[in-house]
Amino acid sequence: MDRHLALELATTIRHDGHGGVADDLATVQGLADWLRAQSDLLDPSLGTGDFAADEAARAEVVAVRAAVRSLFARAVSPEPPSPADADRLLSTEDALRALNAAAARQSVTPQLDWPVGADPRKSLRSGEPDPVVRLTAALARAAIDFLTGPQRELLRACTAPRCVRYFVKGHGRQEYCKPSCSNRARVARHYQRAKPTAQKPTA
Ligand SMILES: [Zn+2]
């Protein structure tokens, strides 16, 4: 399955496995770890790989994530959004403003590289000195690419019990983000059916 930087950012808010919600970006160390795990998705020419995370950077990345998740919520509509932040979504207008502003903070120039014997590659060059600007702009660009690309139509919020993930629907019948979610949903449906029907009091 293809990984998308925007989706990876959105899914740093996830089911913690115990009925709660975990946030991988809750701490500066969490941001550093997450960035290391995404190094293959971040353009190395932007210099985000050797990024020194701090609280200010964390706050800016979390702000981009809030915009991305708010737009994901809109993208899956009329299906319900992820329940993790359904009660604190930004308006579409505010989310667009935040995302576009983050992308606009850095100007980049695409460059064509054609190493001998290898495929041509596109890289991005930028004179932007602030690594936080480079990082947040790269995340915002990834979200813009995602939301204007073919994945948007396939974006879903997983409806398995307790799951809060957004995912890109793969094969035709995929309904849940992971096989474990599919199993949990099946078990929940089973118990729903097995439960004796309670008598509803008539009002
Ligand atoms: Zn799920």
Side-chain angles (χ1 to χ4, degrees), residues 158-160 163-165 167 176-178 181 184:
C158 184
T159 55
C163 189
V164 298
R165 281 170 66 96
F167 68 102
Y176 302 96
C177 72
K178 288 187 290 209
C181 275
R184 219 165 51 247

Side-chain angles (χ1 to χ4, degrees), residues 30 42-43 48 53 59 64 107 123 130 140 143 156 163-165 167 173 175 188:
L42 290 162
D43 190 320
T48 42
V64 173
S107 59
S123 66
D130 184 341
R156 299 286 185 275
C163 189
V164 298
R165 281 170 66 96
F167 68 102
R173 297 176 64 176
E175 274 185 83

Side-chain angles (χ1 to χ4, degrees), residues 9 63-65 67-68 71 93-105 136-137 139-145 147:
L9 177 63
V64 173
R65 181 181 65 183
V68 169
L71 293 169
E93 219 172 45
D94 286 348
L96 287 176
R97 199 177 300 123
L99 196 66
N100 286 332
R105 285 174 73 193
T136 50
L139 295 174
R141 280 195 306 272
I144 291 170
D145 286 347
L147 287 165

